[in-house]
Amino acid sequence: MKIYRLLVSALGSRVSLHRWSSSIFCLVYGAGLFLLVAPIAAAQAPQVPPEIIEKFRQASEAMRSGKIDAAGEDFAAIVKESPNFAEGYLNLGLVREEQGRHGEAIANFQKALRLKPGLRGANLFMGIAEYRTNQLDAALAALRKETVVAPKDANAWMWLGIVALEKGDGGEATSALDKAAKLAPDNVDILYHRGQAHLFVSKDSYARMFQADPKSWRVRQILAEANADAERHTDAIAEYEAAIQLAPHEPRLHEELGTEYRIIGKMQEAEEAFRKELEIDPDNVVAQYKLGVLLTEKGNAAQGKQMIMAALKLRPGLRHADYNLGRAEMLLGNDQAALEDFERAVRADSDQDVLEQSWYQLGTVLRRLHRTQEAQQAFAMFQKFKDAELEGSQKKMKQFQQKNDSDTVAPEGTEAPPNQ
């Protein structure tokens, strides 16, 4: 069966196709937008003759089973015989839209709404059809009406957000898609478009920021964060230092600088940055925790443990806290306490690298405590993670090589591109 396909926008560019989670017909039936024979008979028996109701049922069944052309002929005959039947025009509009006859679809949706202004779904599908024909203002108007008629319809809010984003209105787009996400928190289409809308707003904000004051420390901070996300840590450090020159007492800048120094192995510089952060903001729990972890890594486990524990009192559940506290206890010779920390880490931590190291350290502590069999089991788990890591690396390397081969080898019968 042909699926009802709808163009969507991605930050102003219509480059991808959106599909309903099933067919549009399943969606609409599931939402109760088609009135089957029993509701029509109960609500509109005086206006809709029984034979029209039966024809409507048969046409709806044809539509549901994918016989689109037959359904279109049937619905066209129905509205000709019963010109005041709003639901007939709605279904005929859906068929015409499926057939790519957008103008006819819009006309039928409009007729349905003139007959029944509050007809559920009519504004939604008219808005989608108008969107497909680049009538964005009209689409927005229709979709806004649908959200009033059906304020708990996640699809209506989603499409309002999609069209608003196409218009470049990030505020309305994020507001609509946030509402859609509350109504359907696990809908991947909604989550995708919501992310796109918020990304649009972020990019717009950053562009305005650069335009307003290109020498601002905030601009340097954004550049540093972008470099850090791209794992260009030396460049990130340069940008953070430039930001600090412009705003030497701004909280969190030294903390992030310290994080970047730690990543590239410059432990002394990292320690100095974390300590400077705590001079500026003594209440920065994350900086305190990071400094405690760093001190532990440098071998100062006593002070490291003290700072980690102090941070955990203020904010329990800091990331990888069990593992890092276990390392401090282990270095201090507190093997039983370290054992308990690592056991919590292997139960609760979700980071694969931390889990791998936690199993190794757990095995080491168990061996120190002469619990040989349990130590072997822990080391076996460590090896399992290590093997999975190696397998994943080999798979990625193979994929890279295959892609590289396909990119560099010209297929037979074609000429290689000219040198640039």
Side-chain angles (χ1 to χ4, degrees):
M1 172 182 175
K2 178 183 174 185
I3 303 296
Y4 184 59
R5 299 164 63 132
L6 301 169
L7 287 171
V8 296
S9 66
L11 294 176
S13 174
R14 295 189 180 195
V15 294
S16 60
L17 288 174
H18 172 77
R19 292 173 181 260
W20 291 109
S21 57
S22 176
S23 74
I24 194 171
F25 306 132
C26 291
L27 170 76
V28 176
Y29 274 106
L33 299 183
F34 288 115
L35 298 182
L36 300 182
V37 64
I40 294 173
Q44 297 187 345
Q47 294 83 9
V48 183
E51 61 271 18
I52 295 296
I53 294 175
E54 177 58 23
K55 288 180 180 179
F56 182 86
R57 187 193 66 78
Q58 292 175 359
S60 297
E61 186 58 39
M63 189 176 184
R64 191 184 343 221
S65 61
K67 298 174 183 177
I68 307 303
D69 293 336
E73 292 175 5
D74 291 343
F75 284 125
I78 287 169
V79 296
K80 186 175 182 180
E81 290 184 56
S82 186
N84 294 320
F85 188 14
E87 288 78 5
Y89 285 109
L90 172 58
N91 281 23
L92 179 57
L94 288 168
V95 171
R96 295 296 182 240
E97 182 65 14
E98 178 73 4
Q99 293 172 326
R101 296 156 66 174
H102 309 303
E104 293 178 48
I106 293 169
N108 281 290
F109 294 140
Q110 290 172 338
K111 288 179 182 178
L113 286 165
R114 280 198 295 271
L115 291 166
K116 189 180 287 188
L119 181 59
R120 173 83 183 275
N123 276 300
L124 170 62
F125 295 114
M126 184 167 72
I128 293 170
E130 289 168 334
Y131 167 75
R132 294 189 71 187
T133 53
N134 295 298
Q135 301 177 58
L136 299 184
D137 290 329
L140 280 174
L143 291 165
R144 287 170 184 151
K145 289 178 183 177
E146 186 67 26
T147 60
V148 173
V149 172
K152 294 185 178 180
D153 185 347
N155 285 306
W157 288 108
M158 180 185 77
W159 277 102
L160 178 58
I162 289 171
V163 179
L165 186 59
E166 180 76 0
K167 282 278 292 181
D169 189 340
E172 183 170 17
T174 53
S175 176
L177 287 157
D178 285 345
K179 289 176 182 176
K182 286 183 179 179
L183 292 165
D186 297 324
N187 184 306
V188 294
D189 292 318
I190 290 171
L191 293 173
Y192 168 79
H193 291 297
R194 183 188 183 209
Q196 292 295 304
H198 282 278
L199 181 61
F200 176 88
V201 172
S202 296
K203 288 184 174 181
D204 182 63
S205 295
Y206 296 151
R208 290 174 183 269
M209 185 172 64
F210 275 77
Q211 187 176 16
D213 187 359
K215 296 182 179 180
S216 167
W217 69 269
R218 284 290 191 191
V219 171
R220 293 294 187 179
Q221 182 187 33
I222 291 299
L223 292 172
E225 291 172 356
N227 281 314
D229 288 342
E231 299 186 0
R232 296 191 295 267
H233 302 294
T234 302
D235 292 336
I237 287 169
E239 294 296 346
Y240 277 125
E241 289 179 335
I244 288 168
Q245 287 183 350
L246 294 168
H249 302 294
E250 188 65 31
R252 291 204 60 211
L253 289 178
H254 286 88
E255 175 203 329
E256 297 301 335
L257 176 63
T259 299
E260 294 303 305
Y261 270 130
R262 178 172 173 259
I263 289 172
I264 65 170
K266 292 192 173 183
M267 298 303 194
Q268 185 58 39
E269 291 86 344
E271 180 179 346
E272 291 171 3
F274 289 140
R275 291 192 183 280
K276 184 64 178 179
E277 179 67 32
L278 290 170
E279 286 179 18
I280 295 168
D281 182 9
D283 297 322
N284 188 328
V285 175
V286 175
Q288 185 179 25
Y289 173 64
K290 289 180 178 179
L291 179 57
V293 172
L294 178 68
L295 291 171
T296 301
E297 290 175 346
K298 291 181 68 178
N300 188 352
Q303 191 178 3
K305 174 186 173 181
Q306 181 182 3
M307 300 199 77
I308 292 171
M309 292 291 290
L312 285 171
K313 284 182 181 179
L314 295 171
R315 189 180 298 181
L318 286 164
R319 194 165 183 243
H320 311 320
D322 292 321
Y323 172 79
N324 288 312
L325 194 56
R327 289 288 294 134
E329 297 285 16
M330 191 176 177
L331 290 170
L332 292 169
N334 302 327
D335 290 339
Q336 186 58 45
L339 173 67
E340 295 170 4
D341 291 327
F342 291 132
E343 284 179 335
R344 283 194 298 271
V346 297
R347 286 196 303 268
D349 210 302
S350 59
D351 186 290
Q352 296 298 300
D353 292 335
V354 174
L355 278 172
E356 180 183 311
Q357 289 303 312
S358 295
W359 280 112
Y360 179 81
Q361 300 297 346
L362 178 60
T364 302
V365 171
L366 285 165
R367 189 167 56 189
R368 285 185 183 180
L369 294 170
H370 307 292
R371 293 162 62 172
T372 307
Q373 186 174 358
E374 293 171 85
Q376 290 175 345
Q377 292 172 348
F379 285 131
M381 287 298 297
F382 162 74
Q383 191 60 49
K384 183 179 178 180
F385 277 93
K386 200 72 176 173
D387 292 343
E389 179 186 6
L390 178 60
E391 183 180 350
S393 297
Q394 291 174 339
K395 186 176 180 180
K396 287 180 181 178
M397 179 60 71
K398 186 176 180 180
Q399 291 172 342
F400 173 79
Q401 289 173 340
Q402 289 174 340
K403 183 180 185 301
N404 190 52
D405 291 342
S406 65
D407 287 345
T408 57
V409 178
E412 292 184 5
T414 62
E415 294 182 1
N419 293 327
Q420 299 297 319

